[in-house]
Amino acid sequence: AVAWLDGRKLIPDAKDGRILVPFTAQPGRRPIVLADPDGGFASLAAFEHHSEEYHLDAQFHVEREQLLARREATFAVRSALLVGEARVAPDLLQDVRLTIVSSTLDGISTTTEVKSPQLVADKVFTHSITVPDRLARLTVTLSGRVDLLSQAGEKRQLSATHTWNLNGIDKTEATS
């Protein structure tokens, strides 16, 4: 079979016979013609044409027991780059950065930035930091940009963030 969409003829892949439809800049329901390659039979159908929407999904983990002043704490980051609901290779992300912001009870913030962390699909990336005294908040952000293939030259910025609030009792007069 072949497909006709917006005046373009889409032919099946030689290996598995699937017809790949590129993303669009104008998403919505479109008429599509499914036809016999010889032109003997054709059928009109409706097709939901999707735009190229990327999403950076990241889970962050640190053992709270490691968050002791002047000791090492190791973060684990598991990330996935999704287009629609399908996973794609994380190397499509460009200018990847892992930013760690630690804020103390005294209002002092320290930012650590890891440029180009090695993100691998289905693997965990780890990074260690030294925990400051009187830590109150820890924020970790994974960010990067991706080139949109359906819109030449356009880039989309993506990010995922997680925050841990710590030692809240030290802000009060309570002792336990």
Side-chain angles (χ1 to χ4, degrees):
V2 294
W4 289 89
L5 179 66
D6 293 333
R8 291 178 50 195
K9 182 180 180 180
L10 304 170
I11 59 174
D13 185 291
K15 290 182 183 177
D16 61 9
R18 293 181 188 204
I19 297 175
L20 298 178
V21 179
F23 292 109
T24 184
Q26 294 89 25
R29 197 163 188 79
R30 302 263 190 278
I32 188 169
V33 176
L34 304 172
D36 177 351
D38 300 328
F41 178 78
S43 177
L44 182 62
F47 175 74
E48 189 67 37
H49 206 167
H50 294 283
S51 64
E52 187 176 10
E53 283 296 322
Y54 287 93
H55 175 70
L56 180 60
D57 181 30
Q59 290 85 39
F60 303 95
H61 179 73
V62 63
E63 288 292 333
R64 283 190 177 261
E65 289 81 11
Q66 289 184 342
L67 297 174
L68 298 173
R70 296 183 295 265
R71 299 231 181 128
E72 289 271 312
T74 302
F75 290 96
V77 180
R78 182 181 298 270
S79 63
L81 181 60
L82 305 167
V83 60
E85 295 178 9
R87 287 179 181 250
V88 294
D91 57 348
L92 289 176
L93 273 176
Q94 301 169 354
D95 299 329
V96 181
R97 298 179 193 281
L98 180 68
T99 307
I100 303 163
V101 179
S102 56
S103 302
T104 66
L105 293 169
D106 305 313
I108 300 169
S109 292
T110 305
T111 302
T112 303
E113 186 172 85
V114 179
K115 294 181 181 177
S116 301
Q118 297 300 315
L119 302 179
V120 179
D122 299 327
K123 298 274 185 192
V124 173
F125 173 78
T126 58
H127 180 73
S128 296
I129 64 162
T130 302
V131 179
D133 287 329
R134 299 172 45 83
L135 181 63
R137 174 177 286 147
L138 201 54
T139 302
V140 181
T141 303
L142 180 65
S143 63
R145 66 178 173 79
V146 66
D147 291 330
L148 298 181
L149 302 175
S150 64
Q151 301 169 25
E154 190 172 330
K155 301 172 186 330
R156 176 93 17 101
Q157 190 70 28
L158 303 171
S159 67
T161 301
H162 187 76
T163 299
W164 291 271
N165 291 310
L166 308 157
N167 300 323
I169 197 168
D170 292 340
K171 295 178 186 176
T172 68
E173 295 177 10
T175 57
S176 64

